[in-house]
């Protein structure tokens, strides 16, 4: 069983709509959660970090964390074609030091 | 802030040669840097954790004698792929943990180095 799981997609979203991405993790000791965006051929770029249950909003992005259910999600409002990328969920566990465990990523396609 | 650079951005080499990749934190000190490898259409796989002034910690299955890591200063870590072979062709990405920037110390990634071994 993978430690961090994401639907690989592609998730096709009309321009202006909301893209909803989900990520589940297996280790209950996980403490820190991150969403990265990766364009093709480029390195990941940090979008959001979330550490406590609930919602965290930053511009058009909202991260949601539910530790009891072991999932973290990312909402992208008013999706733009420039949001087309692969979104990586990453989890950090206290016992693992500073190492991040990445999910396989969800590819998002925003169609004009 | 929190800018990480890598050099070179791409490299093509012959089989059997060694390649050195540099990772620098430009505007912050990084006591810990990480080296990842990413094959096409796959996610990032952590290769090793590089700690300033000490030996790197390698993930299971990563040959430490093949992938030499040196973290000589708080702003520079290097990865040397020794005796590279075509199967080492990949996208190598470093990240740096920003020590002192909040209690959770997020990781920031360099732009990556694309290695092609002929």
């Amino acid at each position: 069983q993978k430690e961090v799981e994401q639907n690989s997609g592609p998730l096709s979203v009309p321009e202006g709509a909301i893209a909803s991405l989900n990520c589940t993790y297996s280790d209950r000791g996980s403490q820190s959660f991150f969403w990265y965006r990766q364009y093709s051929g480029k390195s990941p770029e940090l979008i959001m970090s979330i550490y406590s249950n609930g919602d965290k909003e930053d511009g058009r992005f909202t991260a949601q964390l539910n530790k009891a259910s072991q999932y973290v999600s990312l909402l992208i409002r008013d999706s733009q074609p420039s949001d087309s990328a692969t979104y990586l969920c990453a989890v950090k566990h206290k016992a693992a030091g500073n190492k991040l465990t990445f999910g396989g990523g969800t590819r998002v396609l925003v169609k004009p | 802030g929190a800018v990480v650079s890598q050099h070179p951005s791409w490299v093509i080499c012959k089989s059997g040669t060694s390649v050195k990749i540099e990772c620098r934190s430009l505007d912050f000190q990084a006591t810990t840097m990480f080296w990842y490898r990413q094959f096409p259409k796959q996610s990032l796989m952590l290769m090793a954790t590089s700690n300033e002034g000490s030996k790197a910690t390698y993930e299971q299955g990563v040959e430490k004698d093949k992938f030499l890591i040196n973290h000589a200063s708080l702003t520079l870590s290097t990865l040397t792929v020794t005796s590279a072979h075509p199967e080492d062709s990949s996208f190598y990405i470093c990240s740096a943990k920003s020590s002192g920037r909040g209690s959770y110390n997020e990781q920031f990634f360099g732009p990556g180095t694309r290695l092609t071994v002929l």
Side-chain angles (χ1 to χ4, degrees):
Chain A
Q1 180 185 5
K2 291 183 180 179
E3 296 181 41
V4 181
E5 294 210 45
Q6 295 179 253
N7 187 318
S8 62
L11 175 66
S12 186
V13 179
E15 183 175 359
I18 297 175
S20 178
L21 292 77
N22 294 315
C23 170
T24 58
Y25 58 95
S26 60
D27 196 328
R28 285 195 171 277
S30 300
Q31 291 186 311
S32 307
F33 307 87
F34 306 89
W35 282 100
Y36 287 87
R37 176 175 62 196
Q38 186 176 27
Y39 293 111
S40 180
K42 303 294 184 181
S43 68
E45 171 191 9
L46 181 65
I47 298 176
M48 295 279 290
S49 57
I50 187 167
Y51 310 106
S52 55
N53 283 327
D55 296 0
K56 179 181 178 182
E57 185 175 319
D58 185 358
R60 296 186 294 112
F61 299 99
T62 298
Q64 300 172 318
L65 175 62
N66 185 323
K67 290 185 177 181
S69 300
Q70 294 176 239
Y71 83 79
V72 56
S73 63
L74 179 70
L75 299 177
I76 307 174
R77 290 182 299 281
D78 188 23
S79 296
Q80 302 297 309
S82 59
D83 294 326
S84 298
T86 296
Y87 290 80
L88 301 170
C89 172
V91 174
K92 185 159 66 175
H93 186 280
K94 183 179 180 181
N98 295 301
K99 294 195 296 185
L100 291 177
T101 301
F102 283 86
T106 298
R107 187 173 165 221
V108 173
L109 294 175
V110 180
K111 297 186 175 181
Chain B
V3 178
V4 178
S5 70
Q6 273 185 250
H7 177 80
S9 56
W10 60 270
V11 57
I12 300 173
C13 68
K14 292 182 179 180
S15 184
T17 61
S18 294
V19 176
K20 179 186 281 189
I21 302 170
E22 292 186 349
C23 177
R24 293 181 185 273
S25 57
L26 298 185
D27 54 356
F28 64 99
Q29 293 184 333
T31 53
T32 305
M33 291 183 174
F34 303 88
W35 287 97
Y36 295 85
R37 180 167 54 181
Q38 186 176 37
F39 292 106
K41 299 192 183 300
Q42 295 186 24
S43 191
L44 281 76
M45 295 300 296
L46 179 65
M47 299 177 65
T49 301
S50 170
N51 296 295
E52 186 268 336
S54 63
K55 291 183 178 180
T57 303
Y58 290 82
E59 294 301 299
Q60 191 173 13
V62 178
E63 301 176 56
K64 62 179 181 180
D65 293 331
K66 181 171 181 63
F67 299 99
L68 302 179
I69 292 173
N70 184 279
H71 193 156
S73 76
L74 287 172
T75 59
L76 173 64
S77 176
T78 61
L79 168 67
T80 301
V81 183
T82 62
S83 186
H85 289 92
E87 57 266 30
D88 297 323
S89 298
S90 188
F91 192 40
Y92 291 85
I93 312 172
C94 74
S95 72
K97 183 179 76 71
S98 56
S99 54
R101 288 176 173 262
S103 60
Y104 294 101
N105 300 325
E106 298 156 345
Q107 283 188 34
F108 298 92
F109 285 84
T113 297
R114 190 161 302 280
L115 171 63
T116 301
V117 184
L118 302 177

